Amino acid sequence: MVTDLSCQCGKVHLVVSQEPIMVAECYCNSCREAVRRMEALPGAPKVVGAYGSSHYVMYRKDRVQISQGKEWLRNFRLGPKSPTRRVIASCCNTPVLTELKGGHWASLYGNLWHGQALPKADLRTQTTNAPDGSILDDAVPAGGWETTKFYGRLLAAWAAMGFKSPVLALDTPEVELRG
Ligand SMILES: [Zn+2]
Ligand SMILES: [Zn+2]
């Protein structure tokens, strides 16, 4: 199965193959801070995720391809030493993905799904960082055991890849998104 994804204006396209490793809604402070900065960009879409979280569809990196519009991509980091880079499509300020240095997966922002059904979250992570007043029902699992399974699935995917971490060839300019 191949899925064609795009930014909101359609200049950037990504092709992902097969199923994601999993789908997670992350409430950690870093992800929420990144959402805040990205949403402040001109014309930026609202980031998909409840209460300022990020709805991430996590794919093996070897199953993600930037098929069009690579030149529009920009990276940013929350701090100069942050091991995590986030990629946005500067044509329309759509968040594209989050990548942990050395990681074997890419976390694609739910914003890329247009016209196809956005895969539903398998779990919520770091819900203790959710803003006060957030109402998180039990429809999506969260908590210690779910998080343990989450790491288990990431590890299983890595094993299936022969413990290799392919590099997403995104030599895109780094930009600063101030807090
Ligand atoms: Zn665009
Ligand atoms: Zn996070």
Side-chain angles (χ1 to χ4, degrees):
M1 190 185 77
V2 170
T3 310
D4 183 37
L5 306 171
S6 66
C7 65
Q8 67 174 0
C9 81
K11 287 195 171 80
V12 175
H13 279 260
L14 286 86
V15 171
V16 294
S17 54
Q18 304 187 40
E19 298 294 324
I21 301 170
M22 72 189 118
V23 183
E25 200 173 73
C26 190
Y27 287 80
C28 82
N29 289 331
S30 305
C31 289
R32 289 188 308 109
E33 173 61 18
V35 165
R36 207 175 61 74
R37 294 190 197 182
M38 290 187 292
E39 286 185 343
L41 293 168
K46 197 175 160 9
V47 177
V48 176
Y51 302 113
S53 67
S54 298
H55 187 104
Y56 288 130
V57 185
M58 301 164 69
Y59 271 94
R60 286 170 49 158
K61 278 184 187 168
D62 58 352
R63 294 179 177 169
V64 177
Q65 248 195 327
I66 313 293
S67 54
Q68 196 185 308
K70 212 174 193 171
E71 68 275 17
W72 293 100
L73 298 178
R74 300 290 182 271
N75 301 317
F76 80 97
R77 292 167 203 272
L78 290 177
K81 291 195 178 123
S82 170
T84 301
R85 69 171 172 177
R86 292 181 166 81
V87 178
I88 53 171
S90 64
C91 39
C92 55
N93 292 324
T94 298
V96 174
L97 61 87
T98 291
E99 179 193 20
L100 183 66
K101 191 177 179 190
H104 56 285
W105 73 97
S107 300
L108 272 52
Y109 281 98
N111 292 73
L112 299 175
W113 271 256
H114 303 283
Q116 317 95 326
L118 173 66
K120 283 199 172 43
D122 297 308
L123 88 162
R124 296 192 177 109
T125 52
Q126 308 274 342
T127 49
T128 50
N129 288 162
D132 290 345
S134 303
I135 301 159
L136 303 177
D137 60 23
D138 296 332
V140 181
W145 171 237
E146 293 303 326
T147 305
T148 304
K149 283 200 289 188
F150 168 89
Y151 286 113
R153 278 163 80 169
L154 271 182
L155 187 63
W158 198 28
M161 294 166 77
F163 296 106
K164 289 196 180 75
S165 291
V167 175
L168 274 184
L170 295 177
D171 302 321
T172 56
E174 195 120 345
V175 291
E176 228 179 294
L177 298 193
R178 292 196 173 279

